[in-house]
Amino acid sequence: MISAHVPADRVVDFDIFNPPGVETDYFAAWKTLLGGPGLVWSTANGGHWIAARGDVVRQLWGDAERLSNQCLAVTPGLGEVMQFIPLQQDGAEHKAFRTPVMKGLASRFVVALEPKVREVARELIEGLRPLGKCDFVSDFAEILPLNIFLTLIDVPLEDRPRLRQLGVQLTRPDGSMTVEQLKQAADDYLWPFIQRRMENPGDDLFSRILSEPVDGRPWTEDEARRMCRNLLFGGLDTVAAMIGMVALHLARHPQDQKWMRDAARELPGVADELMRRYPTVAVSRNAVGDIQIDGVTIRTGDLVYLPSVLHNLDPECFSAPEEVRFDRGLMPVRHTTMGVGAHRCVGAGLARMEVIVFLEEWLSGMPEVRLDPERPVTMKGGNVGACTSIPLVWNP
């Protein structure tokens, strides 16, 4: 669909879930939009704007006055059904609910979780090392962060496959579930845990957050459901996608593997640069006022899609952005992997810790890994792009 106010020269045939060539290179597929207008209109998924230049992505991502999070995604109906707290809120309401969530994810809790991340990483590595090969996505990337998140909220690890499928339906729906069914499946799973946390709080993440008042009052049951639903889906896909991209870089650059092993103290900065280089998260916003930008008008009610990849890999925003330079020394807030402004990812500190620990444990516990020449690397698009297969080999 093309709205009447959209200039013809801004219209593109670009489906954010299936950009051309995404199966082999997510980043190359998205970079086809760079070098043209800063804002284009996609005819796919009901019609919406895409910020297609780094400065436009960054400016609009940080505009919490004229752009709302209420829509959640360009997928029709998803935002109206999910009603995430705090992700879909704005202004003072967002701040009131985000504060307890941030307290629940405070740095001291992230630090306390680090030994568990190491334990899980070492167990996975010890199981893989004698095999001489693996598919990193299914054998590691989809296990480590999800196991950590399930530990964080204190729910059974054996539920991982079931929850993983729900996450896939949220970020890259295939039509097998309606959005109402997806929400109901999440709520049916979570409600017994939420009920227990509200009646008898423990020391898990949900308990910590629900013990914090919202503007001086307790959480209602509906608010608790919406918050826990938000954190569940937020913790399912994003870190798995990032760790997969980091592992792919290691396999493609054996010289970097060697350097990192010899420079272990540099790994926090290494993690920051790799997270800048391989961003795969995008967000959607709905305009609550007209916005004049890049020579066009975003009208009230328009949807705007903001891909972090087009900020982080725009040569107008970063020098030689596709090069991995471990001496860049950029603060994580300088790039857009974890978002910008009031809605920057609440789990950014946890995600960074997991990537650092992954690097430390993988590099110390595994020999040099390389891509299997007999099997291809495959990727997917969506609100969280990711590798779907990374075949690795090594000498056991």
Side-chain angles (χ1 to χ4, degrees), residues 5-6 21 56 75 79-80 119 122 132 184 202 242 269 279 286 322 335 338 340 342 346 350 355 357 373 381:
H5 63 282
V6 177
V56 177
T75 306
E80 291 91 333
E119 177 189 334
R122 287 173 183 172
Q184 194 59 51
M242 177 53 62
N286 55 286
E322 292 185 75
H335 58 70
M338 292 295 173
V340 182
V346 294
L350 175 61
V355 173
V357 171

Side-chain angles (χ1 to χ4, degrees), residues 111 113-122 125 129 136 140 144 243 246-247 250 256-257 259-271 274 351-367:
V111 170
L113 191 62
E114 185 177 315
K116 181 63 178 179
V117 179
R118 291 193 186 282
E119 177 189 334
V120 176
R122 287 173 183 172
I125 289 167
R129 191 170 51 226
F136 185 84
F140 195 103
L144 174 69
I243 288 178
V246 170
L250 295 178
D256 283 354
Q257 291 184 55
W259 179 84
M260 290 179 205
R261 287 189 174 94
D262 296 336
R265 287 183 295 182
E266 304 296 328
L267 291 181
V270 166
L274 291 174
R352 181 174 184 265
M353 180 271 282
E354 290 186 60
V355 173
I356 293 170
V357 171
F358 160 67
L359 285 169
E360 291 172 344
E361 297 301 326
W362 186 264
L363 292 166
S364 63
M366 290 290 288

Side-chain angles (χ1 to χ4, degrees), residues 137-214:
V137 174
S138 58
D139 295 334
F140 195 103
E142 290 183 347
I143 299 176
L144 174 69
L146 186 49
N147 279 15
I148 296 307
F149 184 74
L150 296 183
T151 299
L152 192 61
I153 63 177
D154 194 22
V155 301
L157 295 184
E158 56 264 29
D159 293 344
R160 179 175 56 85
R162 172 184 176 187
L163 296 177
R164 173 71 185 157
Q165 284 307 113
L166 296 183
V168 169
Q169 291 301 319
L170 183 79
T171 58
R172 195 172 188 274
D174 63 8
S176 62
M177 296 179 77
T178 66
V179 291
E180 290 84 1
Q181 289 170 331
L182 180 59
K183 174 211 168 192
Q184 194 59 51
D187 282 0
D188 289 347
Y189 175 79
L190 286 171
W191 177 240
F193 299 105
I194 298 170
Q195 207 167 19
R196 289 200 291 271
R197 303 304 189 275
M198 296 185 79
E199 293 171 357
N200 297 293
D203 59 1
D204 60 280
L205 177 61
F206 285 171
S207 294
R208 290 199 300 269
I209 294 171
L210 293 171
S211 296
E212 291 286 338
V214 178

Side-chain angles (χ1 to χ4, degrees), residues 304-315:
V304 187
Y305 195 75
L306 306 174
S308 57
V309 61
L310 294 188
H311 174 246
N312 288 14
L313 297 188
D314 188 340

Side-chain angles (χ1 to χ4, degrees), residues 13-241:
D13 180 15
F14 191 95
D15 183 347
I16 59 103
F17 293 108
N18 291 292
V22 72
E23 299 86 359
T24 55
D25 193 331
Y26 170 88
F27 302 99
W30 271 100
K31 280 182 56 200
T32 60
L33 294 180
L34 283 176
L39 202 65
V40 296
W41 180 271
S42 168
T43 55
N45 303 296
H48 60 87
W49 294 105
I50 301 175
R53 196 174 66 225
D55 61 320
V56 177
V57 172
R58 189 78 173 178
Q59 180 180 339
L60 292 178
W61 204 313
D63 189 342
E65 296 297 320
R66 297 177 295 177
L67 289 171
S68 167
N69 271 37
Q70 189 175 10
C71 66
L72 182 61
V74 298
T75 306
L78 189 63
E80 291 91 333
V81 171
M82 287 298 172
Q83 293 296 302
F84 286 154
I85 286 178
L87 182 58
Q88 288 181 253
Q89 298 171 309
D90 300 303
E93 182 185 45
H94 171 253
K95 183 178 180 181
F97 283 95
R98 181 182 170 93
T99 298
V101 175
M102 292 296 290
K103 288 182 178 179
L105 285 163
S107 59
R108 68 182 183 276
F109 298 121
V110 172
V111 170
L113 191 62
E114 185 177 315
K116 181 63 178 179
V117 179
R118 291 193 186 282
E119 177 189 334
V120 176
R122 287 173 183 172
E123 287 177 0
L124 291 172
I125 289 167
E126 288 169 6
L128 291 176
R129 191 170 51 226
L131 304 179
K133 65 178 181 178
C134 75
D135 186 320
F136 185 84
V137 174
S138 58
D139 295 334
F140 195 103
E142 290 183 347
I143 299 176
L144 174 69
L146 186 49
N147 279 15
I148 296 307
F149 184 74
L150 296 183
T151 299
L152 192 61
I153 63 177
D154 194 22
V155 301
L157 295 184
E158 56 264 29
D159 293 344
R160 179 175 56 85
R162 172 184 176 187
L163 296 177
R164 173 71 185 157
Q165 284 307 113
L166 296 183
V168 169
Q169 291 301 319
L170 183 79
T171 58
R172 195 172 188 274
D174 63 8
S176 62
M177 296 179 77
T178 66
V179 291
E180 290 84 1
Q181 289 170 331
L182 180 59
K183 174 211 168 192
Q184 194 59 51
D187 282 0
D188 289 347
Y189 175 79
L190 286 171
W191 177 240
F193 299 105
I194 298 170
Q195 207 167 19
R196 289 200 291 271
R197 303 304 189 275
M198 296 185 79
E199 293 171 357
N200 297 293
D203 59 1
D204 60 280
L205 177 61
F206 285 171
S207 294
R208 290 199 300 269
I209 294 171
L210 293 171
S211 296
E212 291 286 338
V214 178
D215 279 344
R217 61 164 178 82
W219 291 71
T220 68
E221 287 187 0
D222 178 65
E223 291 164 351
R225 286 178 188 263
R226 293 165 60 192
M227 181 275 293
C228 293
R229 190 189 307 148
N230 188 168
L231 292 191
L232 174 68
F233 282 118
L236 289 179
D237 247 17
T238 50
V239 180

